[in-house]
């Protein structure tokens, strides 16, 4: 089945809520790492979430201390959502330390099937469309799966940095997008 990235729309409510429920029921150490903006979505605020996603594309107008962000979900032709990715269009001091340009998450029931590796590849294509040609991607030192996803997509390891507020060490990788 063909999978592709697209923006979230009003018909995605049930799929997004079921993905959130899976994540909340998972044993992940930081449940929404990579896609933290879906954490607060519930049955009553989905329409507000869609407005927020639209506004986030011009985040700097609304929240000057943050950067513009685009969110996409990985879907099949039946509109089943496998996971999602956030693209930060530029880096601020915080993102430069950890967080980087791209965050991603695959819903627990779909992990281990290569979807994150595919989703990052498709996300890099979106970056190119957005005129972003060099990206920083970071992952926790213990997140072996995420490190493999980055390395499989050409990530060049630069350094590891201990982030006090997270009490975690992050591996930092760069990818040049041709
Ligand atoms: C990290 C995450 C995105 C990986 O998603 P996924 O779809 O399972 O990843 P893939 O199937 O593409 O697997 C990538 C590689 O990791 C390996 N892998 C998958 N799960 C693993 C695990 N639990 N431990 C070790 N390796 C693992 C796979 O075998 C594969 O290795 P390969 O490239 O050598 O074949 C997913 O586990 C997730 O959403 N975690 C929670 C959020 C998160 O950590 N996001 C990343 C923030 S930096």
């Amino acid at each position: 089945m063909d999978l592709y990235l697209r923006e979230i729309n009003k018909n995605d409510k049930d799929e997004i809520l079921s993905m959130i429920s899976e994540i909340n029921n998972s044993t992940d150490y930081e449940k929404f790492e990579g896609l933290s903006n879906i954490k607060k979505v519930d049955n009553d605020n989905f329409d507000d979430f869609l407005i927020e996603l639209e506004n986030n594309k011009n985040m700097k107008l609304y929240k000057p201390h943050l950067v513009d962000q685009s969110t996409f979900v990985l879907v099949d032709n039946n509109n089943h959502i496998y996971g999602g990715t956030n693209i930060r269009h530029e880096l601020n001091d915080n993102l430069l330390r950890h967080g980087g340009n791209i965050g991603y998450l695959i819903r627990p029931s779909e992990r281990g099937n290569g979807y994150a590796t595919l989703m990052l590849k498709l996300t890099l294509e979106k970056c190119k469309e957005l005129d972003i040609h060099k990206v920083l991607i970071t992952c926790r030192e213990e997140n072996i799966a995420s490190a493999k996803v980055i390395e499989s997509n050409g990530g060049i390891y630069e350094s590891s940095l201990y982030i006090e507020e997270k009490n975690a060490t992050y591996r930092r990788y760069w990818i040049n997008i041709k």
Side-chain angles (χ1 to χ4, degrees):
M1 179 135 20
D2 278 350
L3 302 187
Y4 62 96
L5 288 181
R6 63 157 172 76
E7 292 184 28
I8 299 172
N9 66 49
K10 59 181 177 18
N11 299 319
D12 293 326
K13 183 173 174 178
D14 289 349
E15 275 289 300
I16 293 286
L17 292 180
S18 79
M19 178 162 80
I20 290 169
S21 156
E22 270 183 32
I23 297 163
N24 276 324
N25 289 326
S26 75
T27 53
D28 292 354
Y29 46 84
E30 195 179 321
K31 295 184 182 301
F32 290 89
E33 176 105 6
L35 202 65
S36 55
N37 52 337
I38 65 166
K39 177 162 47 183
K40 58 184 185 307
V41 178
D42 62 29
N43 192 47
D44 301 324
N45 65 14
F46 191 75
D47 291 343
D48 295 336
F49 173 58
L50 292 179
I51 294 168
E52 185 185 300
L53 291 180
E54 201 52 40
N55 289 342
N56 287 352
K57 291 193 251 174
N58 296 297
M59 183 92 86
K60 287 202 291 189
L61 289 178
Y62 302 91
K63 298 176 182 171
H65 62 293
L66 299 177
V67 304
D68 297 350
Q69 175 172 282
S70 301
T71 301
F72 299 95
V73 280
L74 184 73
V75 295
D76 61 22
N77 295 330
N78 296 321
N79 290 308
H80 174 56
I81 295 179
Y82 292 75
T85 178
N86 277 326
I87 301 176
R88 267 84 59 171
H89 298 200
E90 58 190 282
L91 298 171
N92 60 20
D93 288 348
N94 202 29
L95 292 169
L96 193 55
R97 294 167 66 232
H98 76 97
N101 292 96
I102 298 174
Y104 47 81
L105 177 152
I106 292 293
R107 66 192 299 164
S109 60
E110 300 290 0
R111 290 184 190 162
N113 295 314
Y115 294 133
T117 306
L118 170 69
M119 185 162 68
L120 181 55
K121 177 176 175 279
L122 298 173
T123 303
L124 295 172
E125 290 171 8
K126 288 284 178 200
C127 286
K128 194 171 175 180
E129 286 170 26
L130 289 163
D131 216 19
I132 304 165
H133 297 283
K134 186 181 182 197
V135 294
L136 177 71
I137 311 180
T138 73
C139 69
R140 283 180 186 238
E141 200 172 44
E142 61 272 33
N143 197 339
I144 308 295
S146 189
K148 283 186 171 180
V149 168
I150 300 167
E151 287 165 13
S152 295
N153 277 283
I156 307 292
Y157 173 78
E158 184 195 83
S159 59
S160 294
L161 206 57
Y162 175 71
I163 305 294
E164 202 169 335
E165 60 269 29
K166 295 274 189 180
N167 189 25
T169 298
Y170 284 76
R171 291 174 67 83
R172 302 168 66 257
Y173 292 87
W174 291 96
I175 299 179
N176 285 313
I177 303 168
K178 296 184 190 84

